Amino acid sequence: MTFRNDFLWGGATAANQCEGAYDVDGRGLANVDLCPVGEDRLEIITGQKKMFDFDDDHFYPAKESIDMYHRYKEDIALFAEMGFKVYRFSIAWTRIFPKGDENEPNEKGLKFYEDLIDECLKYNIEPLITITHFDFPMYLVEKYGGWRNRKIVDFYKNLVTAIFERFKGKVKYYLTFNEINVILAASFMGAGLYFEEGEDVEKVRAQAIHHELLASAYATKIAKSIDPEIKIGCMLAAGTYYPASMKPEDVFAALKANRENYFFVDVQARGYYPSYKLKDYERKGIMPEITKEDKKILKENTVDFISFSYYSTRAIAADAKKFDEANLIMSVENPYLEKTEWGWQVDPLGFRTTINEIWDRYQKPLFVVENGLGAKDLPDENGYVEDDYRINYLREHIKNMKDAVELDGVDLLGYTTWGPIDLVSAGTGEMSKRYGFIYVDRDDYGNGSLKRSKKKSFDWYKKVIASNGEDLE
């Protein structure tokens, strides 16, 4: 077989996109709660438009989402039926520390996640926990200004300490921040940053990035002190940049664009700021405050493995100015690739290229923790969806993942699809952009019974897992 015997097949979700119950059992208000569906969402998640409380003019899908908070046993049973070896989910920070700066955690929040973990373990499903998947307490946004404030590092240390101590012996794999590089495109969603008029956005962002990188290293340090068996990973929104042409300026533009993303992992996996980034900061006059102690913490507490999401590759030209709203990145159209209904370029071979690029750069075990197709599903009267398009997408991507392991020698720990059950889209806030093997009866504005039903891809993925990736037909 291509994949290791203990290869971790499964699926991935995020608290704010599936849990709902936004004000239940002491949970505090989070930035992600305030990201509405509709035309204002992009300006809000990027930190350009202020949305610090609910209003009557918008619908906020995270309030209820698919109500997994009350239905997780049903959902995990379905994951187990598919044969999941691992389930990646995230912690809502405000369930554990509702305001973010309390000294003591909220017991009801810890108990919820402990029960969820125990439910996974009941089925021999390994929990893979994302500590922060965009969730950030609004109290910390309003009082401290989000991740721009160094005090947030200490609050994050309190969060991870509470989690590691409570779940010791039950959870082996953690990711510190989901798609940490998303702060570049969606700063409010990624780091609780709202930019005031006239503020130096790049300087604020550089300091916030440093604080997140420092917090990630502290999480590694704290984890090892509590339980040396814990494995800590970083998480990147990946997808290599192609040059738009053979023009040398375009080739160099692609190199710079790739560096912009890999910078985060350069620090998390190698333990220091790369020279190209320090030069960039110096040139722009936006060097963040980095202490001697910071450098020591970064150097001594690198990650054990590197995880990433992959949906598509990107293309870049030296003179590119078009911001691709489809997936929050600067990109030009690649004429050789087909697109999804939401404009994402489909590139299975690019998946293999990206996997190899990351492996060659870091030589640490890799974990694919998001890959999937967002599409409009049309269910029959029983909620059944003939989603051959999803099966075809995943089949071709898994084939290329197999080649990366078998032909290229990449060390790969596992693969979790996004998301195994329909949930709210992070980018658009829509439910109609569906990824799951399980259909959820709910529309973009909260209508529907929330009934779960299996799609055609449910049994297909079950077969893939049972064969350890050998049977893809």
Side-chain angles (χ1 to χ4, degrees), residues 246-254 317-318:
M246 289 184 287
K247 186 177 172 184
E249 288 81 0
D250 288 352
V251 174
F252 194 72

Side-chain angles (χ1 to χ4, degrees), residues 173-185:
Y173 296 100
Y174 288 92
L175 310 178
T176 52
F177 291 91
N178 176 72
E179 295 185 333
I180 192 168
N181 51 323
V182 161
I183 189 176
L184 298 172

Side-chain angles (χ1 to χ4, degrees), residues 148-166:
R148 76 184 72 202
N149 194 318
R150 194 178 185 93
K151 289 180 181 177
I152 306 299
V153 177
D154 288 330
F155 302 145
Y156 186 84
K157 287 158 70 174
N158 290 342
L159 173 68
V160 301
T161 300
I163 291 168
F164 296 150
E165 286 180 345
R166 183 60 170 258

Side-chain angles (χ1 to χ4, degrees), residues 16 91 143 158 161 234 269 324 326 365 368 383:
N16 67 88
I91 299 284
K143 184 173 181 181
N158 290 342
T161 300
C234 56
D324 185 356
V368 179

